Amino acid sequence: MTRTTTAAAPLPLRDAVRGIAPYLEGVRTRWVLGLLSALAAGLVALAIPQVIRLLVNTVFAAPTTPGAPAAEDATASVWWAVGGLALLGAAEALFIWLRRFFILPPAADVENRARIAVYRRLQRLPVAFHDAWPSGQLLSRAQGDLSLLRRWIAFGSVMLVVETVTLVVGVGLLFWLSWPLALVYLAAALPIMWRSYGFRNDFRTASRLSQDQAGDLATTVEESVHGIRVLKAFGRGPHALEGFRGEAQTLQGTEVHKAGVLASFIAFTVSLAEVMLGVALALGVWLVATGQMTVGALAAYFATTAVLARPVEGIGQLLGMTLSAKTAIDRHLEVMRQPVSIASPPGTDPAEEAATGASVGEDPDPAVADAPVDVSALPPSRGGLAFRGARFRHPDTPDDAPDLLAGVDLELVPGETMALVGLTGSGKSTLLQLVPRLRDVTGGVVEVDGVDVRDYPLEELRRRVSIAFEDATLFSDTVRANVLLGAPAAEVADGPDSPAAEALLELALDTAQAGFVADLPQGVDTPIGEEGLSLSGGQRQRLALARAIAARPDVLVLDDPLSALDVRTEEAVTARLREVLAGTTTLIVAHRPSTVALADRVAVLQDGRIADVGTHADLLARSGAYRQIITTDREDAR
C-alpha cells in the first residue's frame, strides 16, 4: 500500500534554486570563494601536462637535434621540472583544502536553516495538512532530503561547475596541442550530449520515485514502532514484516534501477572516450612520425586526457547528484509552499508574521519576533464561549453530502460546565477543535468573550483556551516538562523548578488525581518515554488533563479525556476541577452518564445541530434523542 502524496509538477532547476535562495543569504560569498578555489585546483591540474610537454621536448630530445641541451642542462631541467611539479601538486592540494574550508561550514548552515524552516512550517500548518500527509514523508523531507541538499551545495554544485570548466579549458588545450587529435576527442561529445538528455529524464523520474518510496518506508517503520503493542498482542508481527519486506524490496528495485540508469550512462561516456583515445593514439603516432607533432606535445595530449578522464567519468555522477538534489528541493518546497490557512489576523501578531517571512525559510527578525502582541483592543478574559450558526465540512466532502456541522447555535455561561453528547460521528470532537482554531469554521462564528476566534492572535486565543484530548499525547520528556508545557510564562519565568512552577505543577497533578507520579523512579523528573507508552492509558490521560489545567485557561475544552478512568476517579477529578477551576468555562465531550450528571447543563448534538439543551434530569424526561444517546453510550461502555 502506498502512502505517497501527490507530487507537484517539477520546477526548472533555476526556479528550484531560487526557491531556496533565502537559505543562501550570507553564505554565497564563501560558496564563490570555494568555487574559485576548486577552479584553481582544476586549472593547476591541467598545467601539469604542460610541464611534462616541456620536459619531454627539452630533456629527451635526440642529441643530434639542433639546439638539444647538454647533459648538465638536461639534469638541471629535470630538477626544475620536478620542483615545478611538486609546487603544482602542493598548490592543487592547498586549493582543494580551501574549497572544503570555504564551503563545508556554510553548506551545513544552509541545511540547518532549511531544517529549522521546515519544522517551523510544520508547526504552523493546520491539522488538516497533517491528517493528509504521512509522517514518514515529512520525516524524509526534513532529514534525508536536506542532507542530500547539503552534500550537493558542498560538493555537487561546485564540482559540476568546476568539471565543466575543466572540460572546456582542457579541450581548448587539446586543440592548442593538436587540432586533429582534439577533433577526435571532441567527436565523443555529441553522442554523450544526446545520451544525456534521455539520462536526465530517466534518472529524475527514478530519483523522485525512490525518495517518495523511502518516505513511505519511514512511515511504515514509525507506525510499526508506535503500534508494536497491537502487533504483538494480535500476533501480527510476521504479517507486518511481510508488508515491510515488500515495501523494502520495492524501494530496493527502484534504487537498483536508478543505479542501473546511472551506470549505463557512465559506461557509455567512459567507453566512448576510451575508444576515441585509442583512435587518437594511432593518429598521434602518425603525426609524430610525419613531423607534424612533437613527442612532448603527444605526451602532453595524453596527460591532459588523463586529467580530463575524471570529469568525463564524474560528470554523469554529478549530473545524477544534481537531479537528486533538484528532486529534494522540489519535495522540500512542496511542504514550504503549503498554505497556512489558520493564522493570526494581519498585523496582530508580529512574532508570527516574522517567523513566516515573505520568502521561504526566512529567519525571523529577533527585534520583531520579541515584540509583544497587542491585546489592548481585546475584551478582558471572562470565559465566555458561544457558537453562532457554526458550520463545518471537510475539504474532500462530496458536494452532495451534508455538512458535518450544519449550523450549531450554543452559548455557555462564563464559569459553567457543559457536557456535549451525541452519537459516534456526529461531529463532537470537530466542534471542540473549532474553539482553539485547530480547524476553522466553514460558516458561522465561534466566539470567545464575544469576539470571533478568528480575530484573536493565535497566541492569545490559545492562552485563553486549553484543550485535552481523549487520545492523550505525551512527549519524550519528564513528567514535569509535559505537565508545564503550556503553563503561563509568568509561572515558569524563573525556571520549571522554581517555587511558582512547583506549586502550579503540584496543583495540576493533584487536580487530575495523578498521585501515581510520586511512585515513579524519579518522581516528576522521570522520563516517560516516547508518547508516554510506558504509562497506562488512565495515567496518560491524567497527565494530559494536568497539562490542560496547568495552562490556567479561561475556557477548558475536554474531548472525553476521562474515558480511561474508573467512575470513582472520574468523580474525584471532576469535583476537584470545579474547585480549582472555579470561574473557568468548561465544555466537555461526554459518553458516560456519570460524566453527564456532573455537568451544569447538557447539549445534544444531532444531525449537525444542537437539538436540545438542559440539565441531565430535564433531558432524560423530555428528550428521546438524549435517552437514545445515553443508552447507546452505556451499551458501548459495557
Side-chain angles (χ1 to χ4, degrees), residues 38 56 106 139 179 196 251 285 317-318 323 333 350 533 614:
V56 171
L139 181 62
W179 66 266
S196 296
L251 175 59
V285 170
Q317 291 181 333
L318 290 172
L323 293 173
L333 293 179
L533 294 180

Side-chain angles (χ1 to χ4, degrees), residues 35-83:
L35 174 63
L36 294 176
S37 299
L39 282 172
L43 296 177
V44 167
L46 287 174
I48 293 176
Q50 306 312 312
V51 176
I52 295 175
R53 179 181 62 83
L54 294 173
L55 179 64
V56 171
N57 284 340
T58 57
V59 176
F60 297 105
T64 58
T65 302
E72 294 81 3
D73 294 336
T75 302
S77 297
V78 170
W79 284 111
W80 277 108
V82 170

Side-chain angles (χ1 to χ4, degrees), residues 152-169:
W152 179 71
I153 292 174
F155 178 78
S157 62
V158 173
M159 295 312 298
L160 185 62
V161 175
V162 169
E163 297 196 351
T164 300
V165 172
T166 301
L167 281 172
V168 172
V169 174

Side-chain angles (χ1 to χ4, degrees), residues 60 112-113 152 155 169 184 213 248 282 326 353 430 459-460 468 512 548 576 599 611:
F60 297 105
N112 183 54
R113 287 187 183 184
W152 179 71
F155 178 78
V169 174
V184 172
Q213 289 174 345
K326 162 68 167 50
E353 293 174 11
T430 300
E459 180 183 353
E460 173 63 16
R576 193 78 173 96

